[in-house]
Amino acid sequence: MTLPTLGLVGLGKIARDQHIPAIAATGLFRLAAVVSPDGATVDGLPSFRSQAEMLAALPGLDAVALCTPPGVRHGLTVEALRAGCHVLIEKPPAATLSELHDVVAEAETARRTLFTAWHSQFNPAVEETRRRLAAIVSSDTDIRSVAITWKEDVRRWHPGQDWIFAAGGFGVFDPGINALSILTDILPAPVFVRSADLHVPANRDTPIAATLEMSAAPGSRIGRVTADFDFLQQGEQTWSIVIETGDGRLDLTHGGTRLFLDGAPVLAEPDTEYQRIYRHFHRLLADGASDVDGRPLSLVADACMVGRWHRTDAFDW
């Protein structure tokens, strides 16, 4: 069987730590080339300075995976779709909602697969939590509250990456949007941002911390929903969602990889979310389908629209 060919655009930390190993582990795509504007390479593969150069050199390329900062993803996605490629986009899929709407239309016109890969949604514990919450609500039991705590050290996970604090870089919402992608995936009703406090360093453009107050659609049996994001966490890193229900407390921890019910473990699996992403992408290509989820990006946009902005201490690496 001939494997579909894939070009990897962007060779930063996420591409090297997750995408390249997942492509190799699943064996469903042949990694044909990489793109890195700064000239980085991967042994044994052609390397190009731009996606345009790669597409010109490899006109039969089947797909691309975009692992660049979000600010340039719109143009790259349109370029790849118009060249006849299917496109997988790292989260967040675009810098703005209008860009996301545009690439959806471009994919439909090109009749190519577009996949917005919210990696945290691909953990088995997230799927199990979604199933349990749907059953709880269908049995006329309340989800009393949902509390997101997503706190990590930006110096550890994004060392020296100034783009993340530049306009369009999302700041603390770069990791925080992972929590929101889980939230929108597990709840059986949509949620809406009612208020937010966004803390921006004096010398930066995007938040380094944020708190959100949300509520679900009326009649949904879902109570208060909150989120607490921090990019200056020292010591233990915290990626958890605590859900209080009429049937007990669910703790979805470690970025969505572990689930506990009233303190007792329910599910814990190794981090294989990117392998699941590439298996899903392969199925989408086989089915001629797309998978686009704009809900997490919408919540970030809403937080910025209704939030109160606060200047805080300057941040330096």
Side-chain angles (χ1 to χ4, degrees):
M1 181 181 69
T2 302
L3 298 179
T5 53
L6 178 80
L8 189 63
V9 182
L11 273 181
K13 182 175 175 58
I14 197 68
R16 292 186 180 276
D17 290 354
Q18 297 287 0
H19 286 262
I20 293 175
I23 293 165
T26 55
L28 296 173
F29 293 88
R30 180 173 68 82
L31 186 54
V34 296
V35 173
S36 177
D38 62 6
T41 61
V42 173
D43 289 347
L45 290 176
S47 181
F48 300 90
R49 291 277 185 164
S50 72
Q51 179 180 259
E53 291 179 4
M54 178 183 70
L55 295 174
L58 302 173
L61 193 68
D62 294 307
V64 299
L66 300 182
C67 304
T68 65
V72 297
R73 288 178 187 160
H74 174 247
L76 292 172
T77 302
V78 171
E79 180 181 64
L81 289 169
R82 291 181 179 179
C85 294
H86 307 287
V87 181
L88 180 160
I89 318 176
E90 250 293 345
K91 63 85 193 169
T96 68
L97 288 170
S98 57
E99 288 182 350
L100 180 58
H101 295 156
D102 184 62
V103 296
V104 169
E106 287 280 351
E108 291 174 352
T109 298
R111 296 185 179 181
R112 290 295 181 269
T113 291
L114 180 65
F115 176 29
T116 55
W118 299 99
H119 61 84
S120 294
Q121 294 180 348
F122 284 82
N123 286 303
V126 172
E127 181 179 352
E128 177 64 15
T129 304
R130 180 175 63 249
R131 186 191 67 77
R132 286 173 178 260
L133 293 182
I136 285 170
V137 170
S138 66
S139 66
D140 291 331
T141 304
D142 290 343
I143 298 173
R144 295 170 180 166
S145 66
V146 182
I148 295 170
T149 304
W150 223 256
K151 299 183 176 184
E152 63 179 64
D153 183 359
V154 67
R155 293 183 175 93
R156 174 177 172 184
W157 301 102
H158 297 277
Q161 295 180 21
D162 285 319
W163 66 264
I164 208 164
F165 285 118
F170 284 69
V172 75
F173 285 116
D174 179 77
I177 204 169
N178 292 331
L180 298 176
S181 75
I182 294 174
L183 180 73
T184 55
D185 197 46
I186 63 176
L187 289 184
V191 292
F192 306 91
V193 180
R194 301 307 181 189
S195 65
D197 285 281
L198 313 171
H199 301 270
V200 182
N203 59 337
R204 303 289 176 170
D205 300 320
T206 56
I208 201 165
T211 55
L212 278 60
E213 289 276 350
M214 294 170 275
S215 63
S220 61
R221 306 191 73 96
I222 299 172
R224 185 185 184 203
V225 182
T226 63
D228 187 1
F229 303 132
D230 188 2
F231 236 167
L232 294 175
Q233 176 82 342
Q234 299 295 305
E236 183 178 358
Q237 309 290 280
T238 305
W239 305 288
S240 70
I241 302 177
V242 177
I243 307 160
E244 297 282 359
T245 82
D247 284 347
R249 169 172 163 159
L250 293 168
D251 285 74
L252 188 57
T253 70
H254 295 77
T257 60
R258 302 180 189 179
L259 178 63
F260 299 82
L261 173 61
D262 293 330
V266 174
L267 187 62
E269 289 198 9
D271 178 2
T272 59
E273 56 193 16
Y274 277 86
Q275 293 182 33
R276 294 172 185 272
I277 279 173
Y278 276 97
R279 292 190 187 103
H280 186 58
F281 189 38
H282 190 265
R283 286 194 296 271
L284 290 173
L285 266 62
D287 294 341
S290 288
D291 185 354
V292 177
D293 183 0
R295 295 171 298 171
L297 188 61
S298 293
L299 289 180
V300 171
D302 289 351
C304 293
M305 292 178 71
V306 305
R308 293 179 292 269
W309 295 80
H310 310 275
R311 278 295 179 185
T312 188
D313 295 340
F315 172 82
D316 294 298
W317 300 104

